[in-house]
Amino acid sequence: MYDKSLLEPIYSFLQCETPDEWIEEAKKPENLSVILRDHLMCELKAAQSALYLIRKYAVDAESTNILLDWFKPYEDFAYKKTGSLETLKGKSNISKKITARKDSPYSQDLIDKMVLLIKEELHHFYQVLEIMDQRDIPYQNIRAGRYAKGLFTNIITHEPCTLIDKLIIGAFIEARSCERFAKLAPYLDEDLAKFYISLLRSESRHYQDYLTLAEQVAGGEVSERVAHFAKIEADLIQSPDADFKFHSGVPVKD
């Protein structure tokens, strides 16, 4: 179905695999709408997180406005419910040049990697929305689960440690997404399974890009902080969770 070697670094990076209980819940036909709606918002949030990083740490004011304009159709759709599949079509590419700030030694690398990530995440957002439309699953902006918040509440709050931690968290979110796409694909219908498998290569590259940037900002290895977040991430994945989502923990039985 896919090159298994693609996931070997992911399994080495993550401290645990997705529990069978989550897979059992996720493969139920009645939960497909929850999975797709949450996946849709996860793609937008991944793009927004990357946008925040380059706005805060890498670009000038003019470029910030270009980036905000790029996101506007997606955020209007997600939060104001204006627009449609048709109005979002072809909007994932950015046509104007983004300029790096001169006061940051890693600005250009951050921009290069994060702009590519944003393009791909916004394209994935469109693809998921298209799948939902084909299956008559209406869009709903559902509440976020505990996963990302559980990671971000553990960051160090002074720079450059804050940026390093955020990049490491980005790596874990992308790695877990990749692992779950692969775990869930065998239980989905052929079209959806092919789509999830098609996401593996970009998601695995995203996690590596985040890690590379974290090491660059740190000026060396970041294994201590990676180990710190690996434990937190595994606890979130393996502990009981009453709110079933794409990144949720072990489902709590009613």
Side-chain angles (χ1 to χ4, degrees):
M1 188 179 265
Y2 61 91
D3 181 2
K4 298 290 177 63
S5 66
L6 187 66
L7 287 182
E8 286 174 5
I10 298 283
Y11 287 125
S12 297
F13 181 64
L14 298 172
Q15 206 173 77
C16 71
E17 293 187 27
T18 290
D20 291 341
E21 296 93 330
W22 186 89
I23 298 294
E24 288 301 314
E25 194 68 19
K27 72 183 188 181
K28 292 177 180 176
E30 63 267 30
N31 283 330
L32 180 61
S33 61
V34 177
I35 289 288
L36 288 174
R37 287 177 181 135
D38 195 44
H39 178 186
L40 181 78
M41 292 309 295
C42 285
E43 296 291 357
L44 181 59
K45 286 168 187 168
Q48 288 172 321
S49 294
L51 171 67
Y52 171 82
L53 291 176
I54 52 179
R55 283 183 61 199
K56 182 171 176 60
Y57 297 101
V59 300
D60 59 19
E62 184 179 350
S63 292
T64 291
N65 291 330
I66 292 170
L67 290 165
L68 291 174
D69 287 343
W70 186 20
F71 269 73
K72 191 174 188 306
Y74 296 91
E75 294 181 331
D76 283 351
F77 178 88
Y79 305 125
K80 297 179 182 177
K81 296 189 176 179
T82 60
S84 64
L85 257 180
E86 192 57 37
T87 62
L88 291 176
K89 190 173 184 178
K91 294 283 173 56
S92 61
N93 288 316
I94 187 166
S95 57
K96 296 183 180 178
K97 181 176 172 57
I98 302 300
T99 305
R101 286 208 310 255
K102 295 178 181 178
D103 61 348
S104 171
Y106 42 80
S107 288
Q108 195 59 56
D109 283 342
L110 191 63
I111 290 169
D112 291 344
K113 286 183 170 62
M114 293 297 99
V115 166
L116 176 59
L117 183 148
I118 290 168
K119 285 180 183 178
E120 291 177 336
E121 303 292 22
L122 293 179
H123 180 57
H124 297 163
F125 178 94
Y126 181 86
Q127 288 178 298
V128 178
L129 191 62
E130 198 170 34
I131 289 166
M132 289 170 58
D133 183 68
Q134 291 165 355
R135 293 165 187 253
D136 294 320
I137 298 172
Y139 167 72
Q140 293 176 10
N141 181 8
I142 58 177
R143 183 184 63 181
R146 68 180 188 179
Y147 179 76
K149 185 177 179 182
L151 290 167
F152 278 103
T153 53
N154 287 276
I155 63 172
I156 296 172
T157 55
H158 59 82
E159 300 292 0
C161 296
T162 301
L163 174 55
I164 293 166
D165 280 359
K166 286 177 178 177
L167 291 166
I168 291 170
I169 289 170
F172 274 104
I173 293 172
E174 296 290 339
R176 180 60 65 187
S177 297
C178 187
E179 188 257 0
R180 288 216 158 161
F181 289 142
K183 285 276 191 182
L184 191 53
Y187 303 101
L188 301 172
D189 62 74
E190 186 178 356
D191 288 343
L192 199 51
K194 282 182 179 177
F195 172 60
Y196 273 17
I197 293 302
S198 77
L199 300 178
L200 296 183
R201 193 165 296 280
S202 60
E203 299 298 309
S204 63
R205 191 186 69 255
H206 294 169
Y207 115 82
Q208 291 169 332
D209 284 348
Y210 269 120
L211 270 188
T212 299
L213 287 167
E215 289 171 350
Q216 186 178 347
V217 174
E221 55 88 23
V222 291
S223 56
E224 186 177 330
R225 294 305 287 171
V226 168
H228 172 75
F229 283 107
K231 184 179 186 308
I232 294 165
E233 200 271 347
D235 286 344
L236 288 164
I237 292 300
Q238 293 178 310
S239 59
D241 192 345
D243 186 16
F244 179 72
K245 293 285 194 304
F246 189 79
H247 289 100
S248 57
V250 177
V252 175
K253 302 291 184 184
D254 292 334

